[in-house]
Amino acid sequence: MPGSRTGRPPVQRTVRRPADASRQRRDNPVRRLYTRVHKAWDRPLTAYYLIFGGSLLITVLGLVMVYSASQITALQMSLPGSFFFRKQFLAASIGAALLLVASRMPVKLHRGLAYPILAGAVFTMALVQVPGIGMSVNGNQNWISLGGSFQIQPSEFGKLALVLWSADLLARKQEKNLLAQWKHMLVPLVPVAFMLLGLIMLGGDMGTAIILTAILFGLLWLAGAPTRLFVGVLSITATLGVILIRTSPNRMARLQCIGATDPGPGDACWQAVHGIYALASGGIFGSGLGASVEKWGQLPEAHTDFIFAVTGEELGLAGTLSVLALFAALGYAGIRVAGRTEDPFVRYAAGGVTTWITAQAVINIGAVLGLLPIAGVPLPLFSYGGSALLPTMFAIGLLIAFARDEPAARAALAMRHPRFGRKRGTGGPAFDRGPRRWNTMRRRASAARSSGER
């Protein structure tokens, strides 16, 4: 090789090569953001935070909307404007205590409460039909008066009873490998469920009966019911439902109001149409909190079954989408808890609670949007009604307890507590112990996560 003028060998210049494609992908800010979000979403306590935070936000926003939507109704009944809000706030306070107790109870105690809760629900649901004890509200004989303005609807507690009892039953049968036989999967689960449905239908409350039916099918699906068995039970239930709808003029009228844009003859679809009017007048950001027009006597049940319509009118599309996002997060967290546990009782109970809350939210919101018939069921954690709020908050406490009981979640929660009571050093060996302890606990959490989560 010829030398240069100075007598030194020429400098070999390196040819720049294009950056590696994988490195470019790593440097992509969108991909980095996706990776961070994915890691945060996959953390052990994600389900715990979603359940606790989502239910808290739904309940608080529900209290605000109950206060806004019920003032006119209370004044029309010659009551203080905050009457319904105060009752709902009292129910929410009791429900918060129930949620805290349920979230701290061990799984064995939840299983032990299954039969007493079922027996109490059946007894009180039968009392509803006793003259002088049960009372009728809006044509449904499903209430018991507690004195004064307080009433209780036992069928709401029947949902919780069915979830706990069925989860315990299916878990015990799975431990004995009996669910492979169709008779053990159906008996006594389906007969007990049909008994509860019969007690509810004696009072004429088909909306609650639909929710219990959804819970039953959700549990059968989680138990791995074969398709022919699933279709058979669904056919029987659908046949009974058609008979009950065809024999009731009121239910037939509600079915005909799906997608209605005009109240029709005799204002048969008045409530459904004015719910659409409320949503349409809200726009993107709504008319403002407390500025609803439909709640001034135009929209029946504005603070109960149709509170979602008032939310759309006052908070607009942004408010309704926020409520939908909170329910979607709550449903996802419940499915995640049910899918990642190895305890059959936890899987069935978490799946049953998730089916209950999700199905009830879909039926309520679908009715307000005109996509489903008006079933008369409240929006969980959001609508006015202490009878519906108390068992629902206890069920949320169940999900929180199950989310905390995951191996990785237990390890992650255990990592926090020593940090509050530990003395903080300023240097030397004591100062160096902090990172080593953190790394040890992080390795322990990773080991628990790899065994308990996928």
Side-chain angles (χ1 to χ4, degrees):
M1 179 180 296
S4 64
R5 296 179 182 178
T6 58
R8 297 178 180 176
V11 178
Q12 300 292 333
R13 296 182 178 180
T14 58
V15 180
R16 292 186 177 180
R17 299 178 179 178
D20 187 44
S22 61
R23 185 176 179 180
Q24 289 181 355
R25 287 196 299 266
R26 288 196 300 268
D27 293 340
N28 188 350
V30 177
R31 188 170 184 83
R32 287 203 307 269
L33 178 62
Y34 170 79
T35 303
R36 291 180 181 177
V37 172
H38 185 270
K39 288 182 179 178
W41 195 256
D42 199 44
R43 288 178 180 175
L45 292 176
T46 298
Y48 170 75
Y49 288 135
L50 286 177
I51 295 170
F52 182 77
S55 59
L56 178 64
L57 290 174
I58 293 173
T59 305
V60 172
L61 182 58
L63 286 172
V64 174
M65 293 311 304
V66 164
Y67 181 63
S68 175
S70 64
Q71 292 183 47
I72 306 304
T73 303
L75 293 175
Q76 289 174 343
M77 299 171 64
S78 301
L79 296 171
S82 61
F83 175 78
F84 293 105
F85 169 76
R86 285 181 292 173
K87 290 184 63 178
Q88 185 74 355
F89 184 80
L90 176 61
S93 301
I94 299 174
L98 292 176
L99 185 148
L100 182 61
V101 170
S103 65
R104 295 292 179 175
M105 289 169 54
V107 175
K108 290 183 178 179
L109 186 54
H110 285 302
R111 297 188 68 168
L113 289 176
Y115 281 87
I117 292 179
L118 177 65
V122 171
F123 177 73
T124 52
M125 289 167 68
L127 281 180
V128 169
Q129 306 304 323
V130 177
I133 298 179
M135 59 181 300
S136 177
V137 177
N138 294 331
N140 292 336
Q141 184 81 12
N142 280 310
W143 297 82
I144 294 178
S145 177
L146 300 179
S149 61
F150 292 94
Q151 299 130 10
I152 189 172
Q153 188 176 4
S155 58
E156 293 291 340
F157 294 88
K159 304 172 186 176
L160 177 63
L162 179 62
V163 168
L164 284 178
W165 177 81
S166 302
D168 178 67
L169 175 70
L170 293 174
R172 285 188 288 108
K173 290 197 172 188
Q174 180 174 330
E175 292 167 357
K176 298 178 181 180
N177 298 322
L178 297 176
L179 292 181
Q181 306 176 31
W182 67 269
K183 60 180 180 180
H184 283 287
M185 185 173 292
L186 293 181
V187 181
L189 174 60
V190 174
V192 171
F194 274 69
M195 177 188 66
L196 294 175
L197 290 172
L199 290 173
I200 292 173
M201 289 308 300
L202 282 176
D205 188 2
M206 191 167 184
T208 305
I210 294 175
I211 305 300
L212 255 72
T213 305
I215 295 173
L216 173 62
F217 284 120
L219 290 169
L220 288 176
W221 183 79
L222 287 171
T227 305
R228 60 182 182 276
L229 186 63
F230 206 84
V231 172
V233 178
L234 180 61
S235 302
I236 296 174
T237 307
T239 302
L240 293 175
V242 170
I243 294 173
L244 292 172
I245 292 175
R246 298 280 296 184
T247 55
S248 174
N250 182 34
R251 297 185 187 121
M252 285 296 299
R254 292 186 179 188
L255 194 64
Q256 294 171 357
C257 290
I258 297 178
T261 57
D262 185 85
D267 293 333
C269 300
W270 178 274
Q271 187 178 24
V273 170
H274 278 270
I276 297 296
Y277 290 168
L279 291 171
S281 61
I284 302 297
F285 298 105
S287 58
L289 191 63
S292 170
V293 175
E294 290 294 333
K295 68 183 181 183
W296 286 77
Q298 300 297 321
L299 180 63
E301 308 296 336
H303 60 299
T304 55
D305 300 344
F306 271 68
I307 194 171
F308 188 77
V310 179
T311 303
E313 185 179 6
E314 295 187 351
L315 303 183
L317 181 64
T320 55
L321 289 181
S322 300
V323 174
L324 290 176
L326 289 174
F327 276 110
L330 192 59
Y332 165 80
I335 294 173
R336 174 170 168 158
V337 171
R340 296 195 175 193
T341 183
E342 297 179 358
D343 189 335
F345 173 79
V346 173
R347 179 166 59 254
Y348 294 129
V353 170
T354 305
T355 303
W356 161 14
I357 295 176
T358 305
Q360 187 164 328
V362 168
I363 291 173
N364 177 275
I365 296 173
V368 174
L369 296 176
L371 303 176
L372 296 173
I374 299 174
V377 296
L379 190 59
L381 301 173
F382 201 83
S383 296
Y384 170 78
S387 294
L389 185 62
L390 294 181
T392 306
M393 294 193 75
F394 187 90
I396 294 295
L398 284 178
L399 290 180
I400 293 176
F402 298 156
R404 290 169 54 95
D405 198 51
E406 291 184 12
R410 285 201 307 266
L413 289 172
M415 279 196 321
R416 301 174 172 185
H417 302 300
R419 296 170 63 187
F420 295 98
R422 187 179 63 200
K423 294 183 179 180
R424 299 179 180 270
T426 56
F431 179 78
D432 294 334
R433 281 197 295 269
R436 284 201 296 269
R437 184 171 187 176
W438 169 261
N439 292 334
T440 302
M441 290 185 173
R442 203 166 76 182
R443 287 195 298 270
R444 188 185 312 162
S446 300
R449 180 176 177 180
S450 61
S451 62
E453 293 195 8
R454 299 290 179 188

